[in-house]
C-alpha cells in the first residue's frame, strides 16, 4: 500500500470523526430545543415611534426630530434623537393538546435579538442597515396563555451611527426600508430552551416635523 493511499485513508477517517463530533454537538442542542412540551407563537407585533407616534403594525422611524426648547426665555429649534419601542403578544401553546400543562411548563423569556435587513437584499451592518443588538427580558408566559412583551426596537445609538446618521438633515429625501427580525429566547421551568421569531416593517428617514 502506497504512502499516498495511507494518508488519504487517514485524512478521510479524521474528517469523519470530526463530522461525527460536530453532529453530536448540534444534535444535542436540537434535541434540547425540541424537548420543550410548549412552543411559542407571536400573535401580534407592533411598534411606536419614539417621538410620540401611534401604535402601528409597521414603524416609521424618524432619525432626527426638531423640537422647540426654551432656554433663558429664548426658544430654539434643537435636533433631537428618540429611540423607538415595540411590543409583541406571545402565546404559549402545548405541542400535545391533550396533555395537562402545569406551572412547570411556564416559559420565561430572558433575552431578545433584533436584526435588520433591507428589502432590496443589502444587509451589511453599519453600511446598509443598523447593527443588530441583544436586549434582556424577564417575562414569564403561563401554559395556554398570552403575554404582552415590551422591548426596544431601535436604540438611540443606532441613529448616531451610519447608515441612519447619514439620513439626518436630508429633508426627507433619503429612506432605508428594512424588515426587522426579532427573535425571543427563553426556557421552561425544566430548562428546555424555546425560541420564536417575529418580523415587522421598519422604514428609516428624516421625516418632516409637524409644527
Amino acid at each position: 500500500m502506497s504512502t499516498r493511499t495511507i494518508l488519504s485513508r487517514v485524512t478521510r477517517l479524521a474528517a469523519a470523526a470530526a463530522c461525527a463530533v460536530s453532529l453530536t454537538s448540534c444534535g444535542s442542542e436540537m434535541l434540547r430545543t425540541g424537548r420543550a412540551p410548549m412552543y411559542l407563537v407571536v400573535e401580534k407585533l407592533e411598534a411606536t415611534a419614539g417621538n410620540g407616534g401611534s401604535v402601528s403594525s409597521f414603524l416609521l422611524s424618524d432619525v432626527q426630530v426638531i423640537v422647540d426648547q426654551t432656554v433663558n426665555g429664548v426658544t430654539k429649534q434643537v435636533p433631537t434623537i428618540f429611540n423607538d419601542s415595540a411590543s409583541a403578544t406571545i402565546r404559549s401553546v402545548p405541542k400535545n393538546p391533550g396533555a395537562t400543562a402545569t406551572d412547570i411548563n411556564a416559559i420565561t423569556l430572558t433575552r431578545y435579538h433584533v436584526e435588520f435587513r433591507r428589502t432590496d437584499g443589502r444587509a451589511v451592518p453599519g453600511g446598509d442597515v443598523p447593527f443588530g443588538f441583544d436586549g434582556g427580558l424577564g417575562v414569564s408566559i403561563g401554559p395556554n396563555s398570552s403575554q404582552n412583551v415590551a422591548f426596544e426596537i431601535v436604540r438611540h445609538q443606532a441613529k448616531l451611527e451610519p447608515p441612519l446618521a447619514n439620513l439626518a438633515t436630508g429633508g426627507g429625501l433619503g429612506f432605508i426600508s428594512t424588515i426587522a427580525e426579532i427573535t425571543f429566547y427563553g426556557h421552561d421551568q425544566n430548562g428546555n430552551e424555546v425560541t420564536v421569531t417575529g418580523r415587522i416593517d421598519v422604514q428609516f428617514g428624516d421625516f418632516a416635523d409637524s409644527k
Side-chain angles (χ1 to χ4, degrees):
M1 184 180 295
S2 67
T3 302
R4 179 177 296 179
T5 302
I6 294 174
L7 289 175
S8 176
R9 289 185 177 179
V10 170
T11 301
R12 288 199 299 269
L13 288 172
C19 182
V21 171
S22 175
L23 287 175
T24 300
S25 175
C26 294
S28 174
E29 185 60 25
M30 290 176 65
L31 287 174
R32 176 176 171 79
T33 302
R35 280 203 303 266
M38 313 293 292
Y39 67 96
L40 297 175
V41 176
V42 176
E43 295 185 320
K44 183 167 61 175
L45 187 55
E46 298 177 317
T48 307
N51 56 326
S54 58
V55 178
S56 176
S57 57
F58 62 91
L59 173 63
L60 297 179
S61 180
D62 204 340
V63 298
Q64 179 178 267
V65 179
I66 305 299
V67 299
D68 292 334
Q69 289 188 3
T70 302
V71 180
N72 298 325
V74 178
T75 300
K76 297 182 178 180
Q77 292 187 328
V78 181
T80 307
I81 292 174
F82 295 91
N83 64 326
D84 304 309
S85 60
S87 65
T89 303
I90 302 178
R91 172 172 288 277
S92 175
V93 182
K95 292 179 180 177
N96 180 3
T100 301
T102 65
D103 289 342
I104 203 169
N105 301 127
I107 295 174
T108 300
L109 299 178
T110 56
R111 68 182 180 94
Y112 68 96
H113 178 77
V114 178
E115 197 77 28
F116 296 95
R117 62 180 178 85
R118 285 173 51 152
T119 54
D120 60 8
R122 297 165 60 184
V124 177
D128 300 321
V129 294
F131 287 98
F133 66 91
D134 290 275
L137 292 173
V139 179
S140 291
I141 307 173
N144 300 299
S145 63
S146 298
Q147 181 69 40
N148 186 66
V149 181
F151 60 96
E152 190 175 27
I153 189 170
V154 182
R155 293 182 166 178
H156 293 88
Q157 188 62 31
K159 297 182 180 183
L160 296 173
E161 301 172 337
L164 301 188
N166 301 337
L167 300 177
T169 69
L173 298 179
F175 303 96
I176 298 177
S177 298
T178 71
I179 297 174
E181 184 174 274
I182 305 96
T183 302
F184 300 91
Y185 298 87
H187 57 80
D188 65 15
Q189 307 315 299
N190 271 324
N192 298 308
E193 296 179 0
V194 181
T195 66
V196 68
T197 299
R199 296 169 182 83
I200 186 171
D201 287 339
V202 179
Q203 180 156 301
F204 297 100
D206 192 359
F207 301 105
D209 299 308
S210 58
K211 300 298 182 181

